[in-house]
Amino acid sequence: VGSSPGDAELTPHQEQLAAEDTAFISIQAFPALLDLPQDLEVSKVSCGSRHTAIITRGGELYTWGWGKYGQLGHKDNASSDQPRRVEYLVAEGLRAEEVVCGPWTTYICVLE
C-alpha cells in the first residue's frame, strides 16, 4: 500500500508545534450554567467563535474561552474556562459600556 501526498507524517518538531498550539478548552455546543460571584449583575454579553465576554452593571469586563490571539484582553494568549476580569480596564479607570466579539477579536466601548 503506497502513501498519497496527503498522508505525510508530522516530524517531531511539527508535532511539538501542533501540541503547543492547542490548549484544551471545554467548548460546548449547548448552553451551560456558569457560576459568577453573586454580587455581579450581567448587563451585556457577546460570544465569538470560541470565546465569550460579559459586562457587569458596574462596567467591568469579564472574558473566557480561547485566547490564542489575545482576544480575552488579559495581556497574554492564554485560554481559560473560567471568567476572568480584564484588569487593564480597572487599572486605567475605564468603564466598559458595550462589547462585541468577533471570531478572533473583542471590541469594547469604554467611558473614562
Side-chain angles (χ1 to χ4, degrees):
V1 175
S3 64
S4 67
D7 293 339
E9 290 185 32
L10 293 176
T11 67
H13 179 67
Q14 289 170 321
E15 287 177 5
Q16 180 182 356
L17 289 176
E20 290 172 0
D21 196 32
T22 25
F24 178 78
I25 291 297
S26 176
I27 298 172
Q28 300 179 7
F30 53 90
L33 290 175
L34 178 66
D35 288 328
L36 293 172
Q38 287 184 349
D39 58 337
L40 291 183
E41 293 183 34
V42 177
S43 62
K44 307 277 170 99
V45 64
S46 184
C47 299
S49 61
R50 298 185 195 178
H51 72 291
T52 304
I54 62 168
I55 295 176
T56 67
R57 293 206 189 278
E60 294 178 324
L61 177 67
Y62 285 77
T63 60
W64 66 96
W66 187 54
K68 179 178 179 179
Y69 299 108
Q71 65 268 41
L72 300 182
H74 301 294
K75 297 185 179 182
D76 59 26
N77 292 349
S79 298
S80 173
D81 281 332
Q82 297 300 315
R84 292 172 46 203
R85 184 172 72 171
V86 177
E87 297 299 335
Y88 175 81
L89 299 179
V90 176
E92 294 294 318
L94 300 173
R95 176 186 168 96
E97 290 290 312
E98 296 287 338
V99 62
V100 176
C101 294
W104 302 295
T105 56
T106 304
Y107 301 96
I108 58 171
C109 175
V110 297
L111 295 176
E112 291 184 355

XYZ file of all heavy atoms in Angstrom:
859
model
N 0.856 -1.164 0.000
C 0.000 0.000 0.000
C 0.902 1.227 0.000
O 1.724 1.411 0.896
C -0.923 0.013 1.234
C -1.715 1.288 1.291
C -1.810 -1.188 1.234
N 0.772 2.070 -0.980
C 1.561 3.305 -1.061
C 0.874 4.430 -0.307
O -0.303 4.360 -0.001
N 1.642 5.456 -0.025
C 1.036 6.595 0.673
C 0.795 7.713 -0.324
O 1.571 7.918 -1.240
C 1.935 7.072 1.813
O 3.155 7.549 1.300
N -0.289 8.418 -0.145
C -0.597 9.545 -1.016
C 0.026 10.803 -0.434
O 0.377 10.848 0.742
C -2.111 9.703 -1.150
O -2.664 10.079 0.093
N 0.156 11.881 -1.230
C 0.766 13.111 -0.737
C 0.071 13.685 0.492
O 0.689 14.322 1.320
C 0.650 14.080 -1.923
C 0.504 13.207 -3.123
C -0.173 11.954 -2.644
N -1.211 13.441 0.669
C -1.934 13.961 1.819
C -1.685 13.182 3.102
O -2.124 13.559 4.172
N -0.979 12.054 2.999
C -0.742 11.206 4.158
C 0.607 11.469 4.818
O 1.119 10.638 5.544
C -0.802 9.723 3.762
C -2.200 9.304 3.348
O -3.159 10.001 3.731
O -2.317 8.281 2.653
N 1.213 12.599 4.580
C 2.540 12.896 5.126
C 2.511 12.848 6.646
O 1.572 13.306 7.285
C 3.004 14.271 4.655
N 3.556 12.251 7.220
C 3.656 12.186 8.667
C 4.275 13.471 9.199
O 5.082 14.111 8.541
C 4.528 10.994 9.073
C 3.874 9.653 8.802
C 4.724 8.516 9.329
O 5.422 8.711 10.344
O 4.684 7.444 8.728
N 3.895 13.833 10.428
C 4.464 15.010 11.063
C 5.844 14.684 11.619
O 6.054 13.615 12.185
C 3.575 15.488 12.214
C 2.202 16.038 11.856
C 1.427 16.380 13.125
C 2.319 17.263 10.978
N 6.762 15.596 11.456
C 8.076 15.428 12.072
C 7.919 15.717 13.560
O 6.939 16.347 13.976
C 9.095 16.410 11.468
O 8.713 17.739 11.833
C 9.188 16.268 9.961
N 8.876 15.292 14.395
C 8.771 15.598 15.828
C 8.621 17.102 16.099
O 7.872 17.500 16.983
C 10.081 15.054 16.402
C 10.450 13.932 15.477
C 10.003 14.401 14.115
N 9.302 17.953 15.324
C 9.199 19.408 15.507
C 7.784 19.879 15.192
O 7.213 20.690 15.926
C 10.212 20.131 14.630
C 10.138 21.630 14.741
N 10.474 22.303 15.896
C 9.736 22.576 13.851
C 10.296 23.597 15.709
N 9.850 23.787 14.469
N 7.182 19.369 14.118
C 5.819 19.752 13.759
C 4.822 19.284 14.809
O 3.872 19.982 15.125
C 5.443 19.180 12.388
C 6.157 19.853 11.231
C 5.941 19.117 9.926
O 5.936 17.885 9.889
N 5.755 19.868 8.858
N 5.046 18.079 15.368
C 4.168 17.585 16.421
C 4.237 18.478 17.646
O 3.227 18.769 18.276
C 4.536 16.145 16.797
C 4.129 15.128 15.756
C 4.562 13.721 16.119
O 5.101 13.508 17.226
O 4.355 12.827 15.300
N 5.450 18.926 17.997
C 5.609 19.805 19.161
C 4.882 21.122 18.928
O 4.187 21.622 19.801
C 7.092 20.065 19.431
C 7.327 20.965 20.632
C 8.799 21.242 20.851
O 9.655 20.725 20.169
N 9.076 22.093 21.820
N 5.026 21.699 17.733
C 4.340 22.952 17.429
C 2.828 22.771 17.478
O 2.114 23.623 17.992
C 4.756 23.476 16.052
C 6.180 24.007 15.944
C 6.481 24.393 14.496
C 6.412 25.177 16.874
N 2.337 21.660 16.967
C 0.897 21.395 16.989
C 0.408 21.265 18.428
O -0.658 21.754 18.779
C 0.575 20.136 16.188
N 1.171 20.619 19.284
C 0.782 20.453 20.684
C 0.770 21.797 21.400
O -0.111 22.077 22.204
C 1.730 19.482 21.382
N 1.763 22.661 21.131
C 1.821 23.971 21.765
C 0.674 24.857 21.298
O 0.241 25.750 22.006
C 3.147 24.663 21.452
C 4.341 24.024 22.141
C 5.650 24.610 21.664
O 5.638 25.516 20.791
O 6.696 24.168 22.152
N 0.175 24.608 20.099
C -0.862 25.436 19.500
C -2.253 25.098 20.041
O -3.184 25.840 19.856
C -0.823 25.237 17.976
C -1.581 26.314 17.238
O -1.611 27.458 17.719
O -2.148 25.994 16.180
N -2.388 23.962 20.714
C -3.698 23.536 21.168
C -3.783 23.531 22.682
O -3.138 22.738 23.326
C -4.016 22.113 20.668
O -2.822 21.415 20.426
C -4.889 22.077 19.478
N -4.572 24.432 23.196
C -4.872 24.433 24.631
C -6.263 23.856 24.772
O -7.160 24.201 24.016
C -4.821 25.855 25.180
N -6.448 22.966 25.727
C -7.767 22.353 25.890
C -8.717 23.349 26.530
O -8.470 23.868 27.604
C -7.709 21.087 26.737
C -9.070 20.489 26.934
C -9.651 19.751 25.921
C -9.783 20.709 28.091
C -10.922 19.224 26.069
C -11.060 20.189 28.255
C -11.626 19.436 27.240
N -9.776 23.642 25.848
C -10.840 24.488 26.370
C -12.138 23.718 26.165
O -12.384 23.154 25.106
C -10.897 25.841 25.610
C -9.676 26.667 25.934
C -12.148 26.619 25.957
C -9.561 27.053 27.386
N -12.957 23.714 27.169
C -14.216 22.993 27.113
C -15.213 23.782 26.264
O -15.897 24.656 26.773
C -14.757 22.792 28.524
O -16.010 22.168 28.465
N -15.261 23.498 24.978
C -16.203 24.167 24.078
C -17.446 23.297 23.996
O -17.373 22.131 23.634
C -15.587 24.373 22.684
C -14.370 25.274 22.798
C -16.616 24.967 21.729
C -13.580 25.388 21.527
N -18.565 23.876 24.383
C -19.803 23.121 24.418
C -20.751 23.624 23.342
O -20.847 24.820 23.114
C -20.451 23.260 25.792
C -19.563 22.757 26.902
C -20.211 22.925 28.257
O -21.372 23.293 28.359
N -19.468 22.645 29.301
N -21.442 22.701 22.728
C -22.372 23.059 21.656
C -23.761 23.396 22.180
O -24.684 23.573 21.411
C -22.450 21.904 20.660
N -23.913 23.481 23.489
C -25.211 23.774 24.079
C -25.017 24.725 25.260
O -23.934 24.803 25.833
C -25.894 22.486 24.536
C -25.036 21.655 25.440
C -25.069 21.839 26.820
C -24.174 20.695 24.924
C -24.272 21.089 27.656
C -23.365 19.939 25.762
C -23.412 20.138 27.130
N -26.058 25.464 25.634
C -25.926 26.387 26.770
C -25.570 25.645 28.055
O -25.995 24.511 28.267
C -27.308 27.016 26.889
C -27.962 26.783 25.571
C -27.371 25.506 25.028
N -24.777 26.300 28.899
C -24.393 25.710 30.181
C -24.449 26.790 31.252
O -24.196 27.959 30.972
C -22.988 25.124 30.084
N -24.808 26.391 32.466
C -24.809 27.322 33.581
C -23.378 27.722 33.909
O -22.460 26.915 33.821
C -25.463 26.684 34.803
C -26.959 26.454 34.723
C -27.446 25.703 35.955
C -27.699 27.768 34.579
N -23.213 28.957 34.320
C -21.898 29.477 34.644
C -21.966 30.136 36.009
O -22.868 30.938 36.273
C -21.480 30.503 33.585
C -20.149 31.183 33.776
C -19.023 30.167 33.633
C -19.982 32.288 32.752
N -21.055 29.782 36.888
C -21.022 30.377 38.218
C -20.215 31.669 38.191
O -19.039 31.672 37.855
C -20.390 29.412 39.227
C -21.296 28.245 39.559
O -22.526 28.443 39.553
O -20.782 27.147 39.810
N -20.880 32.772 38.530
C -20.226 34.063 38.697
C -20.380 34.463 40.156
O -21.317 34.033 40.824
C -20.885 35.121 37.800
C -20.737 34.950 36.302
C -21.602 35.969 35.574
C -19.294 35.103 35.883
N -19.484 35.292 40.663
C -19.686 35.781 42.029
C -21.080 36.397 42.161
O -21.582 37.047 41.243
C -18.595 36.844 42.186
C -17.535 36.421 41.210
C -18.274 35.804 40.056
N -21.718 36.208 43.304
C -23.110 36.617 43.492
C -23.342 38.112 43.337
O -24.429 38.529 42.981
C -23.610 36.160 44.862
C -23.832 34.672 44.921
C -24.430 34.248 46.247
O -24.489 35.032 47.189
N -24.876 33.014 46.323
N -22.320 38.914 43.607
C -22.528 40.359 43.536
C -22.435 40.905 42.110
O -22.636 42.088 41.885
C -21.550 41.096 44.451
C -20.095 40.791 44.117
O -19.822 39.739 43.510
O -19.232 41.614 44.476
N -22.136 40.050 41.141
C -22.047 40.510 39.754
C -23.406 40.419 39.072
O -24.056 39.379 39.101
C -21.051 39.668 38.957
C -19.582 39.812 39.311
C -18.746 38.961 38.360
C -19.129 41.253 39.252
N -23.823 41.520 38.470
C -25.033 41.524 37.666
C -24.617 41.790 36.234
O -24.022 42.820 35.928
C -25.988 42.615 38.149
C -26.545 42.356 39.525
C -27.541 43.424 39.925
O -28.273 43.946 39.061
O -27.562 43.755 41.120
N -24.918 40.877 35.345
C -24.518 40.980 33.941
C -25.484 41.891 33.202
O -26.700 41.740 33.288
C -24.481 39.584 33.286
C -24.146 39.696 31.806
C -23.471 38.698 34.007
N -24.913 42.861 32.467
C -25.758 43.762 31.686
C -25.627 43.528 30.183
O -26.550 43.807 29.431
C -25.440 45.221 32.011
O -24.109 45.520 31.665
N -24.477 43.026 29.732
C -24.250 42.762 28.298
C -23.478 41.471 28.149
O -22.666 41.116 29.008
C -23.419 43.885 27.652
C -23.932 45.291 27.852
C -24.996 45.631 26.844
C -25.673 46.927 27.173
N -25.300 48.088 26.526
N -23.695 40.790 27.042
C -22.946 39.572 26.741
C -22.721 39.492 25.234
O -23.552 39.961 24.447
C -23.691 38.309 27.248
C -25.010 38.125 26.539
C -22.828 37.074 27.129
N -21.580 38.937 24.846
C -21.299 38.714 23.431
C -20.453 37.451 23.307
O -19.626 37.165 24.172
C -20.548 39.907 22.820
O -20.360 39.705 21.433
N -20.683 36.698 22.235
C -19.958 35.452 22.011
C -19.219 35.509 20.685
O -19.783 35.918 19.670
C -20.915 34.268 21.982
S -21.824 34.052 23.510
N -17.955 35.105 20.717
C -17.168 34.947 19.496
C -17.256 33.498 19.062
O -18.113 32.745 19.524
N -16.346 33.077 18.192
C -16.397 31.693 17.730
C -16.006 30.725 18.830
O -16.536 29.618 18.898
C -15.488 31.500 16.513
O -14.147 31.801 16.857
N -15.096 31.138 19.724
C -14.666 30.265 20.814
C -14.419 31.029 22.108
O -13.698 30.552 22.971
C -13.375 29.542 20.427
C -13.500 28.644 19.239
C -12.214 27.903 19.041
N -12.157 27.299 17.735
C -11.133 26.617 17.285
N -10.064 26.467 18.026
N -11.148 26.097 16.083
N -14.930 32.219 22.234
C -14.778 32.967 23.479
C -16.031 33.781 23.773
O -16.849 33.997 22.885
C -13.533 33.865 23.440
C -13.639 35.053 22.552
N -13.694 34.970 21.172
C -13.692 36.380 22.846
C -13.772 36.191 20.661
N -13.784 37.067 21.652
N -16.161 34.175 25.035
C -17.334 34.908 25.490
C -16.879 36.085 26.335
O -15.865 36.010 27.024
C -18.249 33.996 26.330
O -18.595 32.849 25.545
C -19.516 34.706 26.754
N -17.641 37.173 26.279
C -17.353 38.355 27.100
C -18.655 38.857 27.707
O -19.705 38.811 27.063
C -16.725 39.454 26.237
N -18.554 39.321 28.949
C -19.713 39.938 29.592
C -19.287 41.275 30.193
O -18.128 41.473 30.541
C -20.331 39.056 30.698
C -19.324 38.804 31.820
C -20.899 37.780 30.132
C -19.935 38.186 33.065
N -20.251 42.176 30.294
C -20.052 43.432 31.007
C -21.016 43.414 32.180
O -22.188 43.051 32.034
C -20.321 44.646 30.101
C -19.298 44.701 28.970
C -20.290 45.943 30.915
C -19.545 45.827 27.977
N -20.511 43.804 33.343
C -21.359 43.868 34.533
C -22.019 45.235 34.605
O -21.608 46.181 33.927
C -20.534 43.647 35.808
O -19.640 44.750 35.975
C -19.755 42.343 35.747
N -23.025 45.359 35.451
C -23.694 46.656 35.652
C -22.715 47.706 36.164
O -22.906 48.885 35.940
C -24.867 46.508 36.607
C -25.986 45.682 36.024
C -27.326 46.022 36.628
N -28.339 45.072 36.193
C -28.968 45.137 35.035
N -28.686 46.088 34.185
N -29.882 44.232 34.712
N -21.657 47.273 36.821
C -20.629 48.191 37.303
C -19.594 48.565 36.253
O -18.653 49.300 36.534
N -19.734 48.047 35.016
C -18.826 48.405 33.928
C -17.545 47.594 33.859
O -16.599 47.972 33.174
N -17.512 46.456 34.549
C -16.340 45.581 34.466
C -16.526 44.597 33.320
O -17.639 44.151 33.036
C -16.147 44.820 35.776
C -15.799 45.713 36.942
C -15.654 44.936 38.232
O -16.405 43.962 38.446
O -14.771 45.314 39.030
N -15.407 44.244 32.682
C -15.419 43.288 31.576
C -14.810 41.973 32.040
O -13.713 41.973 32.622
C -14.617 43.843 30.394
C -14.466 42.936 29.176
C -15.816 42.726 28.478
C -13.449 43.522 28.202
N -15.516 40.879 31.813
C -15.024 39.538 32.103
C -15.004 38.767 30.793
O -15.941 38.877 29.984
C -15.939 38.810 33.086
C -15.812 39.284 34.511
C -16.393 40.473 34.927
C -15.107 38.524 35.439
C -16.272 40.905 36.237
C -14.991 38.952 36.756
C -15.570 40.142 37.147
O -15.439 40.568 38.439
N -13.953 37.969 30.578
C -13.850 37.172 29.358
C -13.375 35.768 29.699
O -12.736 35.545 30.723
C -12.856 37.806 28.357
O -11.564 37.877 28.967
C -13.303 39.177 27.907
N -13.684 34.817 28.807
C -13.190 33.451 28.945
C -13.331 32.741 27.612
O -14.000 33.201 26.705
C -13.911 32.705 30.059
C -15.368 32.450 29.832
C -15.941 31.316 29.337
C -16.448 33.358 30.098
N -17.309 31.475 29.289
C -17.641 32.704 29.756
C -16.515 34.661 30.598
C -18.887 33.309 29.880
C -17.763 35.261 30.733
C -18.928 34.582 30.383
N -12.645 31.600 27.503
C -12.661 30.806 26.277
C -11.274 30.723 25.671
O -10.264 30.758 26.374
N -11.240 30.651 24.358
C -9.990 30.508 23.602
C -9.331 31.871 23.495
O -9.953 32.836 23.074
C -10.341 29.942 22.226
C -9.216 29.572 21.356
C -8.174 28.742 21.650
C -9.033 29.967 19.993
N -7.359 28.602 20.561
C -7.862 29.343 19.526
C -9.744 30.782 19.129
C -7.393 29.515 18.239
C -9.281 30.945 17.854
C -8.112 30.316 17.413
N -8.049 31.961 23.860
C -7.369 33.252 23.874
C -6.141 33.342 23.001
O -5.311 34.228 23.204
N -6.003 32.451 22.020
C -4.769 32.371 21.222
C -4.323 33.714 20.648
O -3.136 33.990 20.551
C -4.943 31.367 20.096
C -3.697 31.273 19.227
C -3.814 30.260 18.134
C -2.538 30.255 17.311
N -2.587 29.283 16.254
N -5.236 34.569 20.248
C -4.868 35.827 19.606
C -4.985 37.021 20.553
O -5.030 38.157 20.102
C -5.717 36.043 18.351
C -5.495 34.948 17.342
C -6.467 33.986 17.094
C -4.286 34.847 16.659
C -6.249 32.967 16.190
C -4.055 33.822 15.762
C -5.046 32.884 15.533
O -4.817 31.875 14.643
N -5.047 36.772 21.860
C -5.140 37.849 22.828
C -6.523 38.453 22.942
O -6.711 39.490 23.580
N -7.517 37.803 22.349
C -8.874 38.362 22.316
C -9.556 38.406 23.678
O -10.587 39.037 23.823
C -9.747 37.627 21.287
C -10.026 36.171 21.590
C -9.028 35.228 20.966
O -7.840 35.478 20.941
N -9.520 34.109 20.448
N -8.959 37.779 24.694
C -9.555 37.834 26.026
C -9.146 39.095 26.787
O -9.748 39.436 27.794
C -9.188 36.588 26.838
C -9.657 35.253 26.234
C -9.280 34.105 27.159
C -11.140 35.267 25.938
N -8.101 39.775 26.318
C -7.713 41.053 26.915
C -6.925 40.958 28.204
O -6.892 41.917 28.974
N -6.268 39.827 28.446
C -5.527 39.642 29.687
C -4.018 39.798 29.501
O -3.237 39.298 30.310
C -5.844 38.278 30.304
C -7.295 38.101 30.607
N -7.960 38.846 31.557
C -8.228 37.287 30.048
C -9.222 38.486 31.588
N -9.419 37.551 30.681
N -3.602 40.472 28.443
C -2.188 40.725 28.146
C -1.393 39.436 27.936
O -0.202 39.386 28.202
C -1.536 41.562 29.240
C -2.131 42.954 29.373
C -1.368 43.763 30.386
C -1.953 45.146 30.494
N -1.217 45.972 31.433
N -2.073 38.385 27.482
C -1.402 37.130 27.144
C -2.255 36.395 26.110
O -3.275 36.922 25.675
C -1.174 36.264 28.389
C -2.477 35.903 29.115
O -3.553 35.868 28.475
O -2.418 35.653 30.327
N -1.822 35.230 25.727
C -2.580 34.424 24.768
C -3.147 33.178 25.434
O -3.442 32.199 24.768
C -1.698 34.029 23.583
C -1.321 35.220 22.735
O -1.867 36.311 22.901
N -0.384 35.040 21.841
N -3.290 33.220 26.758
C -3.795 32.068 27.498
C -5.298 31.912 27.289
O -6.019 32.883 27.117
C -3.483 32.226 28.984
N -5.735 30.671 27.328
C -7.151 30.343 27.263
C -7.632 30.031 28.675
O -6.842 29.661 29.539
C -7.371 29.138 26.351
O -6.960 29.444 25.037
N -8.920 30.185 28.900
C -9.460 29.952 30.233
C -10.910 29.491 30.156
O -11.701 30.055 29.405
C -9.389 31.245 31.057
O -10.042 31.091 32.292
N -11.248 28.476 30.950
C -12.637 28.033 31.049
C -13.411 28.849 32.067
O -14.629 28.761 32.139
C -12.707 26.558 31.457
C -12.445 25.620 30.293
O -12.718 26.002 29.151
O -11.962 24.504 30.533
N -12.705 29.635 32.876
C -13.337 30.422 33.924
C -13.325 31.902 33.574
O -12.315 32.412 33.081
C -12.605 30.216 35.257
C -12.654 28.790 35.764
C -14.078 28.319 35.999
O -14.896 29.035 36.569
N -14.387 27.121 35.537
N -14.406 32.619 33.836
C -14.429 34.062 33.573
C -13.346 34.775 34.390
O -13.165 34.479 35.571
C -15.823 34.498 34.046
C -16.629 33.255 34.054
C -15.685 32.145 34.357
N -12.608 35.668 33.731
C -11.588 36.470 34.398
C -11.857 37.936 34.092
O -12.134 38.302 32.950
C -10.187 36.101 33.888
C -9.744 34.721 34.298
C -8.452 34.284 33.638
N -7.405 35.282 33.651
C -6.393 35.296 32.775
N -6.309 34.384 31.822
N -5.465 36.227 32.842
N -11.745 38.773 35.111
C -11.939 40.206 34.917
C -10.746 40.772 34.144
O -9.601 40.430 34.402
C -12.064 40.897 36.269
C -12.356 42.384 36.137
C -12.669 43.001 37.469
N -11.456 43.100 38.273
C -11.383 43.752 39.425
N -12.466 44.325 39.933
N -10.264 43.803 40.083
N -11.020 41.658 33.198
C -9.961 42.317 32.439
C -9.423 43.452 33.316
O -10.053 44.506 33.439
C -10.474 42.824 31.069
C -9.384 43.572 30.327
C -10.974 41.642 30.234
N -8.281 43.215 33.924
C -7.713 44.130 34.913
C -7.218 45.440 34.300
O -7.160 46.454 34.982
C -6.585 43.442 35.690
C -7.047 42.240 36.496
C -8.080 42.572 37.564
O -8.134 43.728 38.037
O -8.849 41.663 37.924
N -6.861 45.427 33.029
C -6.374 46.645 32.376
C -7.396 47.777 32.497
O -7.046 48.918 32.791
C -6.047 46.385 30.906
C -5.647 47.640 30.168
C -4.352 48.128 30.261
C -6.572 48.348 29.406
C -3.983 49.296 29.603
C -6.217 49.512 28.751
C -4.919 49.988 28.849
O -4.571 51.151 28.207
N -8.656 47.470 32.264
C -9.693 48.499 32.331
C -9.813 49.070 33.740
O -9.957 50.279 33.917
C -11.043 47.931 31.880
C -11.113 47.409 30.447
C -12.499 46.854 30.155
C -10.744 48.477 29.451
N -9.747 48.205 34.736
C -9.826 48.644 36.130
C -8.641 49.555 36.450
O -8.802 50.642 37.018
C -9.851 47.428 37.084
C -9.843 47.882 38.536
C -11.060 46.549 36.792
N -7.432 49.124 36.058
C -6.216 49.892 36.348
C -6.238 51.264 35.683
O -5.702 52.235 36.230
C -4.985 49.106 35.892
N -6.862 51.360 34.525
C -6.911 52.626 33.787
C -8.134 53.471 34.148
O -8.337 54.546 33.588
C -6.893 52.355 32.276
C -5.604 51.745 31.772
C -4.419 52.699 31.905
O -4.577 53.904 31.611
O -3.341 52.230 32.315
N -8.974 52.980 35.034
C -10.179 53.713 35.426
C -11.214 53.803 34.324
O -11.953 54.778 34.225
N -11.273 52.761 33.475
C -12.209 52.743 32.354
C -13.410 51.865 32.681
O -13.291 50.813 33.308
C -11.515 52.220 31.099
C -10.309 53.032 30.626
C -9.599 52.319 29.489
C -10.728 54.432 30.224
N -14.578 52.309 32.223
C -15.823 51.575 32.436
C -16.302 51.037 31.087
O -16.533 51.804 30.146
C -16.857 52.527 33.035
C -18.210 51.926 33.219
C -19.199 53.001 33.690
N -20.541 52.505 33.597
C -21.205 51.972 34.611
N -20.645 51.902 35.792
N -22.437 51.531 34.444
N -16.444 49.717 30.982
C -16.926 49.103 29.747
C -18.421 49.376 29.587
O -19.191 49.225 30.537
C -16.657 47.607 29.763
N -18.821 49.803 28.389
C -20.229 50.100 28.099
C -20.845 49.121 27.107
O -22.000 48.759 27.227
C -20.359 51.525 27.540
C -20.080 52.596 28.568
C -21.173 52.684 29.620
O -22.358 52.725 29.246
O -20.838 52.697 30.809
N -20.075 48.739 26.115
C -20.550 47.824 25.069
C -19.448 46.826 24.752
O -18.259 47.155 24.859
C -20.906 48.582 23.785
C -22.051 49.552 23.908
C -23.409 48.888 24.013
O -23.552 47.719 23.596
O -24.328 49.537 24.529
N -19.828 45.628 24.322
C -18.858 44.616 23.909
C -19.421 43.864 22.701
O -20.615 43.562 22.648
C -18.510 43.633 25.055
C -19.720 42.859 25.514
C -17.372 42.708 24.659
N -18.549 43.614 21.733
C -18.891 42.819 20.550
C -17.717 41.888 20.270
O -16.594 42.354 20.059
C -19.150 43.705 19.302
C -19.411 42.837 18.084
C -20.308 44.656 19.552
N -17.980 40.590 20.296
C -16.940 39.612 19.995
C -17.021 39.209 18.533
O -18.108 38.949 18.025
C -17.109 38.364 20.859
S -16.858 38.649 22.609
N -15.872 39.172 17.874
C -15.774 38.641 16.521
C -15.202 37.237 16.613
O -15.034 36.694 17.711
N -14.859 36.635 15.482
C -14.306 35.273 15.521
C -13.034 35.179 16.375
O -12.893 34.266 17.152
C -14.012 34.958 14.060
C -14.905 35.871 13.286
C -15.049 37.116 14.116
N -12.105 36.143 16.214
C -10.847 36.114 16.956
C -10.542 37.467 17.588
O -9.397 37.808 17.839
C -9.691 35.716 16.035
C -9.911 34.389 15.408
C -9.971 33.182 16.043
C -10.120 34.109 14.032
N -10.210 32.173 15.155
C -10.294 32.716 13.903
C -10.175 34.891 12.888
C -10.524 32.106 12.688
C -10.395 34.283 11.674
C -10.570 32.900 11.587
N -11.580 38.261 17.850
C -11.393 39.608 18.374
C -12.468 39.937 19.402
O -13.505 39.290 19.455
C -11.483 40.660 17.250
O -12.742 40.487 16.595
C -10.373 40.531 16.241
N -12.195 40.968 20.190
C -13.195 41.504 21.117
C -13.104 43.009 21.045
O -12.026 43.586 21.226
C -12.937 41.039 22.562
O -12.905 39.610 22.580
C -14.025 41.536 23.504
N -14.204 43.672 20.743
C -14.264 45.130 20.662
C -15.082 45.631 21.839
O -16.144 45.095 22.133
C -14.955 45.578 19.363
C -14.257 45.076 18.122
C -14.682 43.917 17.482
C -13.182 45.775 17.583
C -14.042 43.455 16.345
C -12.530 45.308 16.455
C -12.969 44.163 15.845
O -12.343 43.694 14.720
N -14.562 46.661 22.502
C -15.309 47.231 23.610
C -15.376 48.754 23.467
O -14.472 49.371 22.934
C -14.721 46.858 24.986
C -13.264 47.304 25.100
C -14.863 45.393 25.267
C -12.699 47.170 26.484
N -16.460 49.303 23.940
C -16.626 50.756 24.024
C -16.504 51.080 25.513
O -17.171 50.446 26.339
C -17.994 51.154 23.487
S -18.339 52.908 23.673
N -15.628 52.032 25.856
C -15.397 52.356 27.261
C -15.631 53.837 27.523
O -15.564 54.663 26.618
C -13.966 51.988 27.708
C -13.726 50.492 27.596
C -12.924 52.759 26.931
N -15.900 54.145 28.791
C -16.007 55.521 29.266
C -14.920 55.737 30.293
O -14.618 54.840 31.080
C -17.374 55.789 29.897
C -18.585 55.716 28.968
C -19.853 55.907 29.785
C -18.493 56.758 27.874
N -14.358 56.945 30.313
C -13.351 57.261 31.324
C -14.020 57.658 32.616
O -15.110 58.168 32.648
C -12.454 58.419 30.842
C -11.571 58.006 29.692
C -10.625 59.113 29.292
O -10.700 60.238 29.837
O -9.806 58.848 28.411
